[in-house]
Amino acid sequence: MSSLESEMAVARALLEQVSDSPSLATSLLQTITRLSREIELSMLRRKQLIHRDEMLQLTQQLVGLFVHEFQGTPGWEDKIERVSTTFVGMLAAPRDENGSFA
């Protein structure tokens, strides 16, 4: 994995320096795309990355847990709805370069 990340860093650095060569820039962009896919697949295989469908399933389970725990308390439906909406919004929000929530 670290070699893939190193290759990605080199490709990005080179891309910044080749603005005068469209064909080389295109080739580097293709390399960056390929490396990105390889890194993502590697992270999925090592269980370091959660697939979107798994995250949505986890979200549904968490909401179910909240419903079970808070059901019957005053205003629980509104609270659960706010938590659910906020969490789903966080999943859809853009990430920074490290994948952290913005």
Side-chain angles (χ1 to χ4, degrees), residues 69-80 82:
E69 288 297 320
F70 294 109
Q71 193 170 18
T73 60
W76 72 273
E77 295 98 339
D78 293 335
K79 291 176 184 177
I80 296 300
R82 282 193 304 273

Side-chain angles (χ1 to χ4, degrees), residues 45-56:
R45 280 192 296 273
R46 291 191 331 256
K47 303 291 184 191
Q48 292 178 324
L49 186 66
I50 298 176
H51 190 274
R52 181 178 173 85
D53 293 340
E54 291 172 329
M55 182 57 82
L56 290 174

Side-chain angles (χ1 to χ4, degrees), residues 33-46:
T33 300
R34 179 184 55 79
L35 288 170
S36 293
R37 280 191 226 119
E38 288 181 26
I39 289 170
E40 183 176 324
L41 289 173
S42 176
M43 291 177 76
L44 280 169
R45 280 192 296 273
R46 291 191 331 256

Side-chain angles (χ1 to χ4, degrees), residues 5 8 11 18 27 33 38-39 46 62 66 69 78 96:
E5 291 170 341
M8 176 73 82
V18 296
S27 178
T33 300
E38 288 181 26
I39 289 170
R46 291 191 331 256
L62 285 171
F66 287 137
E69 288 297 320
D78 293 335
D96 64 19

Side-chain angles (χ1 to χ4, degrees), residues 52 55 87-102:
R52 181 178 173 85
M55 182 57 82
F87 195 71
V88 170
M90 288 172 57
L91 293 177
R95 308 294 189 282
D96 64 19
E97 288 181 2
N98 297 320
S100 299
F101 293 102

